[in-house]
């Protein structure tokens, strides 16, 4: 694994980038409730216009089983978020990329221009293997925005990291601070260098998007606004 050297410490988390504007327009939480778009612009801007392969686990289910998403829709309105928002946003940002996504919720799977999506259960090794039997490209970028548990992330990582190209980015989103020690021990034992990156929240931004009586921990999710970034 390569060490990450992108001057991430110099990122201005309170100044929007081109990617921020694109993702906000598509209403994905990567540039609203979370603040990942600043980091991604620093890491990914070199790919703009290139024919890269992008993969994201977790399209954004709003089914009845996703209580967190249902709550957000209730307090912010149905137009705040739609499944596939991140995929469509990155499709616009990269311009020439091949965009792939997967989710356990079959009802939100879709294909559109350069976007293809597939079913997967990230807790089921056979399901993940079947996914990769049917999805042949290797990827420049892989993002895990799935169920956000250590076990879920570990299982998908162990059965998917081989799909990442050399020098590619593997990113785990929404890592709760309470899981840091588990991830740290795991990657240390695996001999994998990673960067744990906390992304400060711009309170003004979330004041804009959070309408109504929203608990503070929803508006400013400091404990789960963290990324794990690995460069292969």
């Amino acid at each position: 694994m390569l060490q990450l050297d992108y001057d991430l410490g110099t990122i201005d988390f309170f100044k929007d980038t081109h990617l921020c504007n694109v993702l906000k327009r598509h209403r994905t939480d990567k540039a609203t409730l979370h603040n990942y778009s600043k980091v991604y612009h620093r890491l990914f801007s070199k790919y703009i216009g290139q024919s890269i392969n992008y993969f994201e686990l977790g399209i954004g289910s709003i089914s009845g089983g996703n209580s967190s998403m249902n709550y957000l829709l209730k307090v912010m309105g149905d137009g705040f978020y739609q499944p596939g928002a991140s995929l469509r946003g990155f499709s616009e940002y990269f311009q020439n990329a091949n965009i792939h996504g997967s989710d356990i919720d079959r009802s939100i799977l879709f294909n559109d221009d350069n976007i293809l999506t597939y079913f997967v259960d990230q807790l089921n090794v056979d399901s993940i293997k079947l996914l990769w039997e049917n999805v042949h490209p290797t990827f420049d970028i892989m993002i895990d925005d799935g169920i956000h548990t250590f076990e879920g992330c570990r299982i998908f990582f162990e059965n998917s990291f081989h799909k990442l190209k050399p020098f590619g980015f593997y990113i785990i989103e929404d890592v709760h601070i309470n899981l840091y020690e588990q991830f740290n021990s795991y990657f240390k034992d695996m001999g994998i260098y990673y960067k744990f990156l906390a992304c400060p929240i711009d309170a003004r931004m979330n004041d804009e998007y959070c309408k109504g009586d929203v608990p503070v921990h929803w508006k400013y999710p400091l404990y789960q606004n963290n990324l794990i970034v690995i460069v292969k």
Side-chain angles (χ1 to χ4, degrees):
M1 302 307 105
L2 300 178
Q3 293 200 7
L4 196 62
D5 184 19
Y6 285 83
D7 291 327
L8 298 182
T10 65
I11 293 175
D12 185 349
F13 282 97
F14 304 100
K15 182 178 180 180
D16 278 355
T17 66
H18 169 56
L19 180 58
C20 297
N21 295 328
V22 171
L23 295 185
K24 283 183 180 181
R25 185 163 59 253
H26 286 274
R27 311 296 282 187
T28 166
D29 63 357
K30 287 176 171 52
T32 53
L33 292 179
H34 298 290
N35 212 5
Y36 304 149
S37 51
K38 277 86 168 177
V39 176
Y40 291 163
H41 184 66
R42 176 68 60 86
L43 298 178
F44 302 158
S45 59
K46 65 181 182 180
Y47 292 128
I48 293 176
Q50 296 186 27
S51 180
I52 67 162
N53 296 324
Y54 172 95
F55 174 85
E56 185 166 347
L57 170 67
I59 296 174
S61 176
I62 55 175
S63 66
N66 191 333
S67 58
S68 298
M69 186 60 70
N70 287 341
Y71 183 79
L72 288 177
L73 292 174
K74 178 180 179 180
V75 298
M76 298 177 187
D78 290 341
F80 173 78
Y81 185 81
Q82 296 295 328
S86 174
L87 301 183
R88 293 186 174 97
F90 277 112
S91 176
E92 177 182 338
Y93 177 72
F94 290 124
Q95 301 173 10
N96 294 317
N98 304 300
I99 307 293
H100 300 259
S102 63
D103 204 284
I104 196 171
D105 185 351
R106 296 181 186 272
S107 69
I108 64 171
L109 301 180
F110 71 98
N111 297 328
D112 183 18
D113 294 331
N114 62 329
I115 302 174
L116 298 173
T117 63
Y118 319 86
F119 169 83
V120 74
D121 178 353
Q122 77 175 99
L123 294 174
N124 186 309
V125 173
D126 289 335
S127 178
I128 300 171
K129 289 181 177 179
L130 182 61
L131 169 70
W132 298 134
E133 288 177 7
N134 292 290
V135 181
H136 301 296
T138 52
F139 297 96
D140 301 275
I141 299 167
M142 300 182 74
I143 293 180
D144 178 350
D145 189 15
I147 61 174
H148 309 309
T149 65
F150 173 77
E151 273 303 293
C153 294
R154 180 192 64 79
I155 292 171
F156 195 79
F157 176 82
E158 290 180 357
N159 292 280
S160 303
F161 192 62
H162 68 283
K163 295 291 289 185
L164 188 68
K165 293 181 181 179
F167 309 108
F169 294 97
Y170 191 102
I171 297 176
I172 303 173
E173 291 189 347
D174 302 351
V175 180
H176 198 285
I177 193 65
N178 290 342
L179 297 179
Y180 170 76
E181 289 299 334
Q182 279 183 284
F183 278 108
N184 186 54
S185 296
Y186 171 73
F187 287 122
K188 183 177 181 180
D189 290 344
M190 295 279 288
I192 293 175
Y193 178 86
Y194 74 97
K195 179 74 173 181
F196 181 86
L197 188 64
C199 303
I201 294 294
D202 185 343
R204 297 165 301 174
M205 176 180 68
N206 281 357
D207 282 337
E208 174 185 352
Y209 287 97
C210 294
K211 310 299 182 183
D213 184 18
V214 185
V216 171
H217 72 280
W218 280 100
K219 293 175 72 172
Y220 319 126
L222 300 177
Y223 297 108
Q224 201 165 342
N225 202 52
N226 310 300
L227 300 171
I228 285 177
V229 183
I230 299 168
V231 181
K232 192 171 186 180

